[in-house]
Amino acid sequence: MENKLRIGWIGLGNMGMPMATNLLKAGYPVTIYNRSREKENILIAAGAISAQNPATVLANADIVITMLSNDAAVKAVFEGPEGLLSKDAENHQGKLLIDMSTVAPATSRYLSSITEKSGLAFLEAPVSGSVKPAQDGTLLILVGGSPENYEKAKPLFEVLGKMSLLLGGPGFGSSAKLANNYLLGLQIQGLAEAVLFAQKNGISPENMLTIINEGALGNGLSKLKTSSILQEQFPAAFALKHLVKDLGLAKDAGLETVLSNPLISSFKEANDQGLGEEDVMAIIKSIKI
Ligand code: NAP
């Protein structure tokens, strides 16, 4: 039987598409909106309803989830002329808006305050995990907001993820997410440098990756990225430009360590070389040893 809670979904990129698909598969009625309208077609064929703009998504839903590129995109969808909080938002008192994009903690606090001023409820819920966990419904969901709103969202988080954690008020989820992505950057950079250094001394990437993956240093990430490195193909699961954004947000949020500045420069340089739309692992193409 169909679940009664009506879901709105805005943002059908690499992450939003599989996540919204999982809610549809779980039986939720889902109304969708994506800026590039053609990306909606697959979900419409799977039973989703298309709305003309974010305000219409809200009119058709009890809970609206956004999964968008960056702070500017989320602000445009909340505050734009046909945005979630445009003029008739007061007719939707008590509805819940959940932003699952990775944005600055300050942006989450701002979104929370403008949403609540309009009489709606807000949660931030950025995720750890890339496209495969999004497809499998095994994301780790990092929540900031009130316990009451968290309880309302929990049935959806159980479809989208293997675990959700309420970390504090708005901003706490984003802060945890940025710390996690700092470590992601360090690990990707380290893996690339180790493979290239070994290669410089005659060790094949294949042998080096076997040594890493079979030893204590192998982890989910090194195993996930091994085939990309060996095939020298980097289709975006997590686009490099998004990590550049996240490292910048982390710096703005106070990250100032020995490794943070060179790491940020390295990923910025790769982005400037045109690798932004490729996967984060494409950093290996821009590192000189
Ligand atoms: P993506 O594939 O680049 O998709 C971005 C989405 O945002 C698209 O739907 C895009 O619409 C929309 N968008 C961008 N600017 C917009 C604007 N001004 N107004 C309205 N819509 C706009 O990104 P993604 O990989 O799905 O990531 C989404 C978020 O999750 C990001 O914050 C990212 O950092 C975070 N994240 C990603 C991963 C990952 O592995 N990919 C993992 C964890 C967290 P169009 O289709 O029209 O371009």
Side-chain angles (χ1 to χ4, degrees):
M1 222 178 66
E2 210 174 60
N3 289 290
K4 286 279 177 275
L5 208 56
R6 296 168 308 153
I7 309 303
W9 193 283
I10 301 176
L12 299 171
N14 290 329
M15 295 295 284
M17 181 68 89
M19 292 167 78
T21 301
N22 283 340
L23 290 175
L24 260 181
K25 281 189 189 154
Y28 288 97
V30 181
T31 300
I32 53 172
Y33 170 79
N34 194 68
R35 182 180 61 175
S36 309
R37 307 309 304 270
E38 70 281 358
K39 286 193 194 163
E40 296 174 1
N41 292 339
I42 295 172
L43 279 188
I44 293 170
I49 299 156
S50 166
Q52 274 313 305
N53 51 51
T56 316
V57 173
L58 179 64
N60 289 318
D62 304 303
I63 297 183
V64 178
I65 300 179
T66 46
M67 189 55 165
L68 300 159
S69 309
N70 53 31
D71 301 53
V74 180
K75 283 181 179 168
V77 163
F78 272 64
E79 299 185 291
E82 309 284 355
L84 290 168
L85 301 179
S86 57
K87 45 203 171 302
D88 64 347
E90 62 272 16
N91 298 331
H92 305 298
Q93 305 284 306
K95 290 186 178 182
L96 177 60
L97 307 185
I98 306 175
D99 181 38
M100 302 191 79
S101 327
T102 303
V103 298
T107 297
S108 279
R109 287 191 291 273
Y110 172 72
L111 294 172
S112 175
S113 91
I114 59 170
T115 303
E116 283 168 10
K117 265 186 209 144
S118 296
L120 286 79
F122 178 83
L123 277 181
E124 62 164 357
V127 301
S128 170
S130 192
V131 171
K132 181 76 167 66
Q135 288 166 342
D136 296 345
T138 55
L139 293 164
L140 179 54
I141 302 173
L142 312 175
V143 189
S146 74
E148 189 194 352
N149 292 332
Y150 176 55
E151 286 307 316
K152 275 192 208 159
K154 241 180 169 175
L156 307 184
F157 293 158
E158 279 162 13
V159 172
L160 299 172
K162 63 177 176 188
M163 183 191 278
S164 63
L165 284 170
L166 180 62
L167 296 158
F172 281 74
S174 305
S175 295
K177 172 65 190 167
L178 295 181
N180 207 55
N181 272 19
Y182 174 47
L183 182 58
L184 169 72
L186 290 172
Q187 290 196 1
I188 292 283
Q189 178 84 24
L191 185 61
E193 288 185 8
V195 168
L196 291 174
F197 170 52
Q199 195 173 23
K200 188 178 182 180
N201 289 310
I203 311 298
S204 71
E206 193 168 16
N207 279 339
M208 195 59 223
L209 284 160
T210 300
I211 293 162
I212 293 168
N213 287 331
E214 294 300 321
L217 297 174
N219 60 25
L221 189 68
S222 64
K223 289 172 189 162
L224 194 67
K225 299 303 180 191
T226 289
S227 68
S228 279
I229 298 172
L230 294 180
Q231 291 165 23
E232 298 180 48
Q233 296 290 329
F234 305 97
F238 181 40
L240 190 143
K241 67 176 181 187
H242 288 324
L243 185 60
V244 172
K245 166 202 55 143
D246 295 349
L247 292 172
L249 295 176
K251 190 170 172 66
D252 292 345
L255 178 66
E256 191 59 60
T257 61
V258 174
L259 295 179
S260 62
N261 289 326
L263 186 74
I264 290 169
S265 304
S266 173
F267 277 94
K268 264 193 185 153
E269 198 181 315
N271 199 37
D272 293 345
Q273 287 169 10
L275 299 175
E277 300 297 332
E278 296 191 45
D279 190 67
V280 278
M281 199 62 243
I283 189 74
I284 199 166
K285 294 199 274 185
S286 79
I287 294 171
K288 286 166 205 69
I289 290 272

